[in-house]
Amino acid sequence: MAADGEVRRRGCCGGGAFFPEESFASWGAYGRALMETGPRLRDRVTARSADAVELHEVRGWSGAKMRRTLTWWDLIWFGVGAVIGAGIFVLTGQEAKEAAGPAVVLSYAVSGVSAMLSVFCYTEFAIEIPVAGGSFAYLRVELGDFMAFIAAGNILLEYCIGGAAVARSWTSYFATLLNHHPNDFRIHAASLSDDYSRLDPVAVAVIVLICLLAVLSTKGSSRFNYVLSILHLAVILFIIAAGLSRARLSNLTADFAPFGAHGVFAASAVLFFAYIGFDAVSTMAEETKNPARDIPVGLVGAMAVTTALYCVLALTLCLMQPYYEIDADAPFTVAFTATGMDWAKYIVAFGALKGMTTVLLVSAVGQARYLTHIARTHMVPPCLAQVHPKLGTPVNATVVMLAATAVIALFTDLGILSNLLSISTLFIFMLVAVALLVRRYYVSGETTNADRNKLAACLAVITAASVVTAAYWGLSADGWAAYAATVPAWFAATLYLQLRVPMARTPEKWGVPLVPWLPSASIFINIFLLGSIDGKSFMRFGIWTAALLAYYFFFGLHASYDTAKALAAEAAAGKVEEGGSKPADGGAGN
């Protein structure tokens, strides 16, 4: 078993098999594994990993270690580079014109508050569990393998589709810079449907170049990122200064919120796409020199700068043109042309290209580290967990993720993706906030059953009140009776959690302030924003989740079960996982 364990620890695809676990050793073994799906699922749903397992045992399965080369300065610029890209330059015009009007400024502020609450939750986890898995590792520790896998699938979807959308936007602004229409650089495949018929080889080429940089060096990627980010910020400051010189206050005040409050929150849900990316910074905790100091400064600092810039940029755009004249595809470019500064569109396009390049780079770095840690648990083939001994980067995971991104970028248009991306992201951020409350108020073997049940009841009321509020809002129901019941219920459950449930754990280095209020507010606002997203996007989300479950039941469940069983057998002392029901063969989880 020790020798087998060492193979697993190195993350090799033993004997050339895609899945090296014993459940896949033969068709007979696989058949027996499928027959045990029920007991194995019960075990993995209740099994919770431990901090030490994620930090030492699981991380060791990558073979070589990732190099600790990053500081808070790198993380701030990674955060800024990860977020400020296609969202602000593309979606601002779309939502101002079609959903919020000049009140799009408030939409950005609401999304920014929601993102900042999530940043605080991520920060505590990243300091306590500084591994490459990000929210996947955090959820595995607090909510168990099953919820972690569902979240992981949505994280990977978020990164692939988000990267593809940004790459296609890169082509659009590149064309603007050269005085061409974006479709001049795309190949029309008439046999495909309209949303997928414009093949984009430029987007694929950009992704390939980004992949090479991400593979060669994390520190080199960081230096390249903050050089581009500094140039990008300079362009943003130019856009603000030049745009305000053409400002007309009447454009802002004539009809500030033409679509009402529903429009503001509907736009906020879509504009959350513009904040996607900061979670990638948490995946770099494993490569940070001093996580306890660097991560809070890096994450919170980056989000504060980003939110402020977004609000000011949106305000500038709405002051330059009436909202109904804003171009939905290239808002800032057209606004400068309309106000007699046609030459400025080249600077805007140049800045957008810089911003989208850094978004792609940080996305490439982050998504590879997510996949690496997921592969370490054998939920996906463990060969994807290998870290190159010389480069110190996860080469296999980087190549696979960016190959998937390139395929999507070749075919798919940005317009059909932003809502689906927002659903995945808001869902994950909500789960991380729930996991933080579980972490603070529940420790297996120490928390009494009574306190555990109180915690579960409070979480159920907080979540249910948030869901009912969001559903009532999303259905555009008249009246206020539902809010008079749901909002006080959320408040009462949070207050009861603070006063009547003893906190089981206090962070050693840095903790989220105002617990349980801040994570409870994060749950509420994330679910509320989900209620503003259209039904078709939820259908696509359901289809993707069903595909994830099919993969999990046929492959991921059995591979992770075998791995946990081997790890439990190797553990010389202490419990490796908490809360798992003991299987009949004495295997995985205890």
Side-chain angles (χ1 to χ4, degrees):
M1 180 61 72
D4 181 60
E6 285 303 308
V7 171
R8 297 175 198 278
R9 194 178 302 281
R10 290 193 299 270
C12 299
C13 298
F18 204 50
F19 287 101
E21 299 78 20
E22 60 186 70
S23 290
F24 306 95
S26 66
W27 284 108
Y30 183 55
R32 289 190 294 274
L34 290 179
M35 294 293 291
E36 298 175 6
T37 295
R40 291 185 175 199
L41 178 61
R42 286 194 296 271
D43 176 80
R44 302 321 300 157
V45 165
T46 56
R48 300 164 68 228
S49 184
D51 291 13
V53 173
E54 300 298 312
L55 287 169
H56 304 296
E57 296 290 339
V58 175
R59 186 163 62 178
W61 293 338
S62 286
K65 292 183 178 180
M66 297 185 192
R67 297 172 183 171
R68 291 190 176 274
T69 58
L70 304 178
T71 66
W72 63 268
W73 178 256
D74 297 300
L75 295 183
I76 283 181
W77 287 109
F78 263 129
V80 171
V83 177
I84 303 179
I88 185 65
F89 288 109
V90 177
L91 294 180
T92 306
Q94 170 187 306
E95 296 308 305
K97 186 172 185 176
E98 300 173 3
V104 71
V105 178
L106 298 181
S107 300
Y108 268 117
V110 171
S111 295
V113 169
S114 177
M116 183 63 82
L117 293 175
S118 297
V119 162
F120 277 112
C121 297
Y122 267 83
T123 299
E124 180 171 327
F125 274 117
I127 292 170
E128 297 279 314
I129 313 173
V131 294
S135 53
F136 170 75
Y138 314 152
L139 296 177
R140 217 169 90 89
V141 168
E142 300 303 336
L143 301 184
D145 266 16
F146 180 72
M147 289 306 301
F149 177 79
I150 297 300
N154 281 287
I155 291 165
L156 297 180
L157 174 71
E158 168 198 322
Y159 275 111
C160 282
I161 294 181
V166 173
R168 288 185 71 91
S169 294
W170 199 100
T171 303
S172 298
Y173 274 92
F174 180 67
T176 299
L177 201 60
L178 299 180
N179 282 320
H180 279 269
H181 190 276
N183 286 338
D184 293 345
F185 294 90
R186 293 174 178 145
I187 301 169
H188 185 217
S191 59
L192 300 176
S193 66
D194 290 342
D195 288 332
Y196 305 94
S197 63
R198 296 288 179 178
L199 308 186
D200 198 331
V202 173
V204 174
V206 171
I207 290 172
V208 170
L209 293 175
I210 291 294
C211 179
L212 291 174
L213 183 58
V215 161
L216 291 176
S217 170
T218 303
K219 187 65 177 180
S221 298
S222 172
R223 289 169 179 162
F224 180 71
N225 169 73
Y226 65 67
V227 168
L228 287 188
S229 295
I230 290 171
L231 290 173
H232 187 42
L233 286 179
V235 172
I236 287 175
L237 293 176
F238 164 79
I239 293 173
I240 293 170
L244 290 178
S245 72
R246 294 292 192 272
R248 294 179 61 187
L249 191 59
S250 60
N251 291 334
L252 190 69
T253 57
D255 195 358
F256 183 70
F259 303 96
H262 277 84
V264 172
F265 284 102
S268 185
V270 174
L271 291 173
F272 206 87
F273 172 78
Y275 289 95
I276 290 173
F278 80 81
D279 51 325
V281 180
S282 70
T283 69
M284 300 172 199
E286 193 171 316
E287 297 158 271
T288 302
K289 291 180 179 179
N290 186 352
R293 179 198 65 193
D294 297 337
I295 291 173
V297 175
L299 274 173
V300 176
M303 186 51 59
V305 170
T306 298
T307 302
L309 287 175
Y310 277 176
C311 291
V312 175
L313 279 168
L315 179 65
T316 301
L317 177 65
C318 293
L319 284 169
M320 291 175 70
Q321 277 190 298
Y323 77 90
Y324 47 83
E325 293 181 7
I326 293 175
D327 186 83
D329 297 317
F332 288 95
T333 299
V334 173
F336 276 112
T337 300
T339 54
M341 297 178 66
D342 188 61
W343 55 271
K345 72 179 183 182
Y346 300 107
I347 299 177
V348 174
F350 178 76
L353 284 178
K354 294 292 185 184
M356 286 183 277
T357 301
T358 59
V359 167
L360 286 171
L361 177 60
V362 181
S363 175
V365 172
Q367 67 190 13
R369 280 142 186 81
Y370 269 122
L371 185 59
T372 295
H373 202 76
I374 296 167
R376 288 167 173 174
T377 68
H378 288 221
M379 288 188 188
V380 296
C383 53
L384 298 177
Q386 290 177 328
V387 174
H388 195 280
K390 292 184 178 179
L391 299 175
T393 58
V395 175
N396 292 354
T398 305
V399 172
V400 166
M401 287 299 297
L402 287 178
T405 303
V407 170
I408 297 171
L410 182 64
F411 294 98
T412 313
D413 188 75
L414 171 67
I416 65 174
L417 300 175
S418 57
N419 276 357
L420 182 57
L421 281 171
S422 293
I423 290 178
S424 296
T425 307
L426 290 165
F427 174 68
I428 294 160
F429 290 173
M430 181 271 293
L431 286 180
V432 170
V434 170
L436 181 65
L437 288 175
V438 172
R439 183 173 182 82
R440 286 291 194 95
Y441 287 93
Y442 177 76
V443 174
S444 181
E446 297 181 17
T447 303
T448 65
N449 289 340
D451 288 335
R452 181 198 62 195
N453 293 339
K454 290 177 184 177
L455 170 63
C458 289
L459 289 175
V461 173
I462 289 169
T463 304
S466 303
V467 169
V468 173
T469 303
Y472 193 68
W473 177 269
L475 293 173
S476 299
D478 295 327
W480 50 267
Y483 305 131
T486 58
V487 175
W490 168 84
F491 182 87
T494 307
L495 183 63
Y496 185 88
L497 184 58
Q498 181 183 25
L499 299 179
R500 301 302 300 272
V501 182
M503 197 171 290
R505 191 198 313 257
T506 302
E508 296 180 3
K509 299 175 181 177
W510 188 92
V512 174
L514 300 176
V515 172
W517 294 99
L518 192 149
S520 180
S522 181
I523 294 170
F524 185 89
I525 193 170
N526 285 328
I527 293 177
F528 184 80
L529 290 176
L530 283 171
S532 298
I533 296 177
D534 64 282
K536 289 184 178 180
S537 295
F538 277 100
M539 290 177 61
R540 298 186 191 107
F541 177 74
I543 292 170
W544 172 248
T545 301
L548 286 177
L549 290 174
Y551 169 86
Y552 185 74
F553 290 143
F554 285 102
F555 298 100
L557 167 63
H558 307 292
S560 61
Y561 178 89
D562 288 346
T563 303
K565 182 173 66 175
L567 183 60
E570 292 173 22
K575 265 196 319 188
V576 174
E577 291 189 333
E578 305 173 302
S581 58
K582 190 170 183 175
D585 61 2
N590 46 6

